Amino acid sequence: VLVSDLPTPALLVDLPRLAANLDRMQARADAAGVALRPHAKTHKTAEVARMQEARGARGLTVATVDEAEAFAAAGFTDVRLATPVAGPQKLSRIGRLLDAGVRLSFTVDTEAGARLASEEFAGRKDAVPVLIEVDTGHGRCGVPPAYVAAFAAAVAALPGLRLVGLLTHGGHSYAGPGADEAPRDALVRAMRSERDGVLDAAARLGAAGLLDPATAELSVGSTPTMAVFEPAERDGFRITEWRPGVYAFGDAQQVALGAVELRDCALVAVATVLSKRRLDDGTEQAVVDAGKKVLTADTGAGVDGYGTVLYSPRTMVANMHARMPRLSEEHGTVETPGGLIYDVGDPVFVVPNHACVAVATRPALFAVEGDEVVGTWAVLAR
Ligand code: PLP
């Protein structure tokens, strides 16, 4: 089967570029002396998870109980839910995964949440490992660093839970550079606050006897911050784990942030031109069969439009004259001020802005080598 035989829209994964991205991040984690626990929500496929494991990844990260179940069913038995969990139904599903022998951990960041989890798990033979989520700047989940010690003391006193470490997500790296700030400096700034926020909190817990530097799991990770990671130590504590996800595929958002090169992006949407016309101002417009349901409505710092239009997925050179300024549900508009290179029926190749959400829109990804489709990978837990 050739790419040109696929019904569009479709998401292609370039196998050699994917393999190179996985190799590169694994080598960087190995060199930094940290375990790589890739976030599987980006690819949502057993095939990519197996490629990551084969290269030395130690376990997977997931974002939902659905993903934990799907990857456990696919044979992955070391899974970290990098989020707090609430609600009796989800907690009991976690209990069932633990009963089935899955090494599962999750985060706690409120006393109410920790108490609910404790009530669910207090009767178990083995206490369930939890990490305290720390907010190191992202402003989503997580305990503010000033409260981590008091919260850790409360968690340590709860039956059924075993505090094994701290976790944070450097999602503030997605804000992009400030005025007069170079893109790389912005990534380094976010990485240092992510890393140091966790190390400072760990040192405080170490001093209070609530965490042991010899065994503490200190987990950080976003693709932009891991791209510029620098090791550091506080009172014997060091970062032990990275959880990047997007690095596997790359996307237009990572390119805009300076975390990934366009030529390394492995996920490309292919669409077909359905209609074209010349507008009054001379701009030529093509409408393709890829709208929000594959490219998604995600934008991001420094991103122009709804994806990067390529001249060809082989060269990965951006068509600098083509923009995608508008999407509707099933249609995407490609505009070129200087005249279109596309005719109706032609394929258009686009690097999505946000790989994770794009993947979740499709039932399957197509692994490709050049023009040839070499695999069809089911997308799990959509
Ligand atoms: N950890 C958590 C908690 C996340 O929410 C995410 C992504 O949203 C990641 C890790 C992976 O980061 P990235 O998407 O930048 O690769």
Side-chain angles (χ1 to χ4, degrees):
V1 177
L2 299 176
V3 169
S4 53
D5 297 325
L6 293 175
T8 59
L11 286 176
L12 314 176
V13 178
D14 183 277
L15 257 187
R17 284 200 294 273
L18 167 65
N21 293 344
L22 302 186
D23 287 342
R24 204 177 309 113
M25 187 62 82
Q26 187 65 56
R28 295 191 63 248
D30 292 346
V34 297
L36 184 62
R37 185 185 282 276
H39 208 312
K41 79 186 169 104
T42 302
H43 53 74
K44 286 174 164 289
T45 69
E47 288 81 356
V48 180
R50 277 196 281 274
M51 290 172 76
Q52 290 170 320
E53 217 174 47
R55 285 164 171 77
R58 284 188 243 155
L60 294 179
T61 304
V62 296
T64 63
V65 178
D66 287 350
E67 288 176 356
E69 289 171 341
F71 280 100
F76 297 91
T77 54
D78 183 354
V79 179
R80 178 157 285 160
L81 247 167
T83 174
V85 184
Q89 201 230 28
K90 286 185 183 169
L91 289 168
S92 61
R93 286 161 67 192
I94 287 180
R96 284 198 286 280
L97 287 169
L98 292 163
D99 291 342
V102 177
R103 284 181 54 203
L104 193 86
S105 56
F106 60 96
T107 75
V108 288
D109 73 341
T110 61
E111 289 202 32
R115 220 175 311 111
L116 287 173
S118 167
E119 282 162 15
E120 177 75 25
F121 300 132
R124 298 187 70 83
K125 185 163 76 63
D126 298 317
V128 178
V130 293
L131 296 93
I132 291 178
E133 189 158 346
V134 184
D135 180 7
T136 55
H138 185 32
R140 190 177 62 183
C141 293
V143 183
Y147 298 108
V148 173
F151 181 58
V155 172
L158 289 172
L161 304 182
R162 182 165 60 90
L163 178 62
V164 297
L166 304 176
L167 178 147
T168 194
H169 168 52
H172 45 302
S173 56
Y174 283 90
D180 301 328
E181 189 178 32
R184 190 185 162 84
D185 292 345
L187 299 186
V188 171
R189 173 171 53 78
M191 177 276 295
R192 288 185 183 153
S193 64
E194 178 186 36
R195 179 198 68 191
D196 296 346
V198 163
L199 290 177
D200 291 346
R204 263 182 263 141
L205 298 196
L210 293 165
L211 215 51
D212 178 353
T215 55
E217 298 184 34
L218 301 184
S219 177
V220 299
S222 74
T223 293
T225 52
M226 297 308 87
V228 294
F229 188 83
E230 301 160 346
E233 199 183 305
R234 279 296 180 291
D235 298 350
F237 288 96
R238 36 180 290 283
I239 299 302
T240 62
E241 177 176 283
W242 290 359
R243 307 182 322 276
V246 182
Y247 79 98
F249 288 160
D251 57 27
Q253 167 71 100
Q254 300 294 336
V255 175
L257 292 170
V260 167
E261 302 281 346
L262 181 63
R263 64 169 178 270
D264 295 325
C265 289
L267 186 80
V268 175
V270 56
T272 303
V273 177
L274 306 173
S275 170
K276 62 184 281 192
R277 70 158 88 167
R278 177 180 280 265
L279 306 179
D280 290 344
D281 66 359
T283 298
E284 289 205 339
Q285 167 181 300
V287 175
V288 299
D289 60 358
K292 288 179 193 166
K293 280 180 161 177
V294 57
L295 296 173
T296 83
D298 274 19
T299 58
V303 159
D304 179 28
Y306 292 97
T308 300
V309 181
L310 300 170
Y311 274 118
S312 124
R314 203 181 269 284
T315 58
M316 292 302 286
V317 173
N319 179 346
M320 299 306 283
H321 306 291
R323 294 183 60 240
M324 293 198 76
R326 283 180 301 286
L327 300 179
S328 43
E329 193 176 344
E330 306 285 2
H331 300 77
T333 301
V334 180
E335 280 187 0
T336 57
L340 278 179
I341 57 170
Y342 307 109
D343 212 336
V344 170
D346 282 352
V348 176
F349 296 91
V350 183
V351 176
N353 282 347
H354 188 181
C356 314
V357 192
V359 163
T361 66
R362 309 305 301 166
L365 308 179
F366 296 100
V368 300
E369 285 186 47
D371 292 334
E372 200 155 340
V373 179
V374 295
T376 303
W377 298 342
V379 176
L380 306 176
R382 292 170 57 218

